[in-house]
Amino acid sequence: MAESFHMKSHEFRESGKRLIDWLADYYARVDQLPVLAQVKPGEIRASLPAEPPQIGVAIDTIIEQLNSKIMPGITHWQSPNFFAYFPANASEPSVLGDLISSGLGVQGMLWATSPACTEVETHVLDWLANMLALPKTFLSNSAGGGGIQDSASSASLCAILAARERATNFKSNERGCRENLVAYTSTQAHSSIEKDIRVAGIGRANLWLIDVDEQFAMRPELLEKTIEEDKRAGRIPFFVCATVGTTSSLAFDPLPAIGEICKRHNLWLHVDAAMAGTAALCSEFRYIQNGLELADSYCFDAHKWMFTNFDCTCFYVANRETLTHSLSVTPEYLRNQATESGSVFDYRDWHVPLGRRFRALKLWFVIQHYGVEGLQFHIRRHVAIAQKFLESVRKDDRFEIIAPAPLNLICFRVKGDDGLNEELLRRLNASGQLYLSHTKLNGKFTLRFCVAQMRTELHHVEHAWAAICAEATKLIAARDRGSHSNQAASGRE
Ligand code: PLP
């Protein structure tokens, strides 16, 4: 019988070096790979052995299978030709920070279970709050502070839970106590808000989706009217989610007006800036968060545009006591002196799970590697490249721009019907040259082109535009041929 099946130290050392090389090689050639995985449903599973190995295999075999069986099913989010959805950047420093976090294997549920895990997180989130010029209420030396969550969806859920508790005087778990609560967001808010409202037991029927203006931003006068109607009907308005950079079109809800309404009616204001929040690293883009000082909570995803690998949502509250009072349940086995002293943060009370990884480490690596100026440089460059793309679309009268595009998301379509635009998207993505996604705006099928992948340079966007034009030319010609032959056909009748 073998003494141990664990990987030997020298094997770990050698394999680790090989796998870093593997990743570096991958990044070097990722621009050559078809961006969207070219496999059919079930193909990857069918290629895997039905049963696990009884006897462990060598790392060579594992790497060989990674290459031959898994890589064909990868959609390359790290490709510079990835323009779909919002990005999920994995910069090299964040990968290295995450590697150390994995290796340390720290479980930071309490300050006491690894003090550095908690204190680095608090510190880095304070750094970030200052880098983004967030309101001072979100700093840990005020009544508030920041912590890391897995996703914006979870951060918004925690905001809703804290708002629910504040509105019910921390009695929502007693029978009947939350029945009349009503929440508000816009028709353009991310679907996670509805999901969170369901999960929080508020109920989908108690979430109003407020209509938007022609720029796809929430109409505050409609928000207030709905709140007043609800109050007259005996309901209890308690929560508003405003979005800074909506998913469909990167629209910005008017925070000052919404914030004033929330103050007047004593509602919790949560601001979801999942993607666009990173833009505030640059002073010229900070206007997007005007009015944020009126918010009770705020989140943005460093795992989208701030080059930190998934998952890393930064969540801030203006009053941490309300949040932790809402989420804290303390059994005997978690009691400890540090907690009882009241002088430490226990981040288990800031989110739903108990356990938590040392995610702050990758953020710390990223901020140290790039520095504030390095991050600003890349954000500005993305916006400048996106604006060049916007200019090309604007100059071509076969296309129309569907939404304002002050930053890095361009929503556009070929003038014509939805079918033509759907086919254009299908062909572009099937080509493997680039990857775009779509949405519907004003009922029209719209292409979304987001410039936020860390490897994207101007030439990638120029190449993408050339591919879009080439496919559009073919489709428009086919349509025109079709309509001419239809006209000819109807002329003969
Ligand atoms: N909010 C907005 C505005 C988003 O755009 C997204 C995702 O794109 C989310 C929330 C959900 O993000 P996560 O995957 O971090 O939950």
Side-chain angles (χ1 to χ4, degrees):
M1 189 67 184
E3 241 172 60
S4 154
F5 292 92
H6 296 311
M7 188 178 261
K8 309 237 168 359
S9 174
H10 73 89
E11 281 177 294
F12 175 64
R13 204 179 285 279
E14 283 152 25
S15 308
K17 286 175 187 161
R18 275 178 69 188
L19 283 168
I20 292 289
D21 281 346
W22 185 96
L23 267 182
D25 291 342
Y26 170 67
Y27 294 148
R29 69 188 173 95
V30 66
D31 61 334
Q32 307 298 318
L33 303 173
V35 192
L36 186 62
Q38 312 278 306
V39 292
K40 300 201 173 54
E43 210 174 308
I44 297 297
R45 271 202 82 176
S47 76
L48 299 172
E51 303 294 335
Q54 289 298 316
I55 300 191
V57 296
I59 191 78
D60 288 336
T61 309
I62 300 176
I63 296 176
E64 191 276 310
Q65 296 199 5
L66 169 68
N67 290 331
S68 62
K69 298 189 185 302
I70 294 177
M71 291 310 286
I74 295 293
T75 287
H76 300 286
W77 287 69
Q78 305 314 314
S79 165
N81 303 313
F82 186 101
F83 305 106
Y85 307 106
F86 286 144
N89 281 297
S91 70
E92 289 84 348
S94 78
V95 172
L96 296 176
D98 212 16
L99 179 65
I100 299 303
S101 161
S102 297
L104 292 175
V106 157
Q107 208 277 53
M109 56 188 175
L110 301 166
W111 176 89
T113 59
S114 207
C117 181
T118 296
E119 292 193 16
V120 173
E121 185 160 329
T122 309
H123 199 71
V124 168
L125 266 83
D126 276 351
W127 273 3
L128 258 181
N130 288 326
M131 287 160 66
L132 297 163
L134 297 183
K136 300 275 177 244
T137 45
F138 291 145
L139 288 170
S140 66
N141 64 6
S142 72
I148 300 178
Q149 302 245 348
D150 56 2
S151 64
S153 308
S154 300
S156 302
L157 172 63
C158 291
I160 292 168
L161 295 173
R164 185 189 75 186
E165 294 312 301
R166 190 177 79 176
T168 59
N169 204 16
F170 298 89
K171 291 198 170 61
S172 90
N173 285 288
E174 287 163 35
R175 192 180 291 273
C177 231
R178 66 178 90 119
E179 269 166 15
N180 274 335
L181 296 178
V182 215
Y184 309 81
T185 194
S186 91
T187 55
Q188 295 293 308
H190 191 263
S191 55
S192 54
I193 304 302
E194 177 181 328
K195 193 180 197 175
D196 293 337
I197 285 288
R198 294 181 189 202
V199 173
I202 305 300
R204 164 68 192 92
N206 296 318
L207 173 68
W208 295 127
L209 301 182
I210 305 296
D211 209 356
V212 293
D213 62 18
E214 64 288 349
Q215 312 222 318
F216 305 105
M218 191 196 285
R219 290 177 53 189
E221 76 286 2
L222 286 186
L223 171 67
E224 186 149 40
K225 188 165 163 274
T226 316
I227 292 172
E228 282 167 352
E229 280 169 9
D230 279 332
K231 282 181 152 177
R232 277 197 295 276
R235 290 187 278 263
I236 306 168
F238 81 107
F239 175 84
V240 176
C241 174
T243 313
V244 167
T246 58
T247 316
S248 275
S249 72
L250 220 65
F252 303 105
D253 288 339
L255 299 186
I258 295 172
E260 290 302 338
I261 293 168
C262 289
K263 289 278 171 259
R264 260 200 298 286
H265 296 276
N266 194 24
L267 273 67
W268 184 290
L269 173 59
H270 174 63
V271 176
D272 172 8
M275 211 285 296
T278 296
L281 287 169
C282 308
S283 55
E284 67 273 32
F285 303 136
R286 284 191 191 140
Y287 66 88
I288 63 173
Q289 60 192 29
N290 283 350
L292 189 57
E293 63 285 356
L294 298 168
D296 294 284
S297 55
Y298 173 75
C299 74
F300 86 100
D301 287 345
H303 62 239
K304 286 191 163 70
W305 203 8
M306 222 189 90
F307 313 140
T308 309
N309 62 328
F310 193 82
D311 48 356
C312 193
T313 293
C314 301
F315 178 53
Y316 291 92
V317 285
N319 188 328
R320 58 180 180 263
E321 180 73 24
T322 309
L323 177 69
T324 57
H325 190 25
S326 304
L327 297 179
S328 187
V329 179
T330 305
E332 183 55 35
Y333 45 81
L334 293 177
R335 291 194 188 282
N336 66 86
Q337 266 186 357
T339 300
E340 253 125 68
S341 76
S343 60
V344 299
F345 284 5
D346 289 325
Y347 274 125
R348 73 181 178 108
D349 295 331
W350 290 56
H351 64 173
V352 175
L354 169 65
R356 56 201 329 273
R357 322 191 278 118
F358 197 169
R359 277 182 294 231
L361 209 46
K362 59 188 176 186
L363 206 45
W364 187 67
F365 267 59
V366 166
I367 296 172
Q368 298 224 79
H369 168 84
Y370 286 93
V372 177
E373 290 184 12
L375 291 169
Q376 290 169 334
F377 173 87
H378 287 286
I379 298 307
R380 288 193 173 113
R381 197 155 74 175
H382 277 153
V383 174
I385 295 174
Q387 293 301 310
K388 290 214 163 112
F389 179 84
L390 176 67
E391 218 26 62
S392 305
V393 184
R394 189 171 278 144
K395 280 196 201 131
D396 191 325
D397 63 11
R398 296 171 303 171
F399 293 88
E400 56 183 331
I401 292 158
I402 304 298
L407 293 179
N408 61 338
L409 177 71
I410 318 300
C411 293
F412 69 105
R413 70 198 303 276
V414 175
K415 291 174 185 161
D417 61 20
D418 278 3
L420 188 148
N421 282 284
E422 282 171 35
E423 180 57 14
L424 175 61
L425 181 71
R426 194 194 64 73
R427 289 191 189 186
L428 289 168
N429 289 345
S431 77
Q433 292 182 64
L434 71 168
Y435 186 22
L436 305 186
S437 56
H438 80 279
T439 188
K440 273 207 169 166
L441 289 169
N442 292 332
K444 289 179 177 172
F445 188 93
T446 300
L447 305 185
R448 293 169 74 268
F449 189 93
C450 183
V451 182
Q453 213 298 321
M454 55 175 280
R455 293 183 173 77
T456 300
E457 301 287 348
L458 181 58
H459 68 93
H460 298 109
V461 169
E462 287 171 346
H463 184 78
W465 176 236
I468 294 167
C469 287
E471 281 304 340
T473 304
K474 285 188 227 159
L475 284 167
I476 291 169
R479 176 189 64 188
D480 292 348
R481 270 200 308 278
S483 66
H484 287 149
S485 53
N486 284 347
Q487 275 169 15
S490 58
R492 274 199 300 274
E493 275 167 9

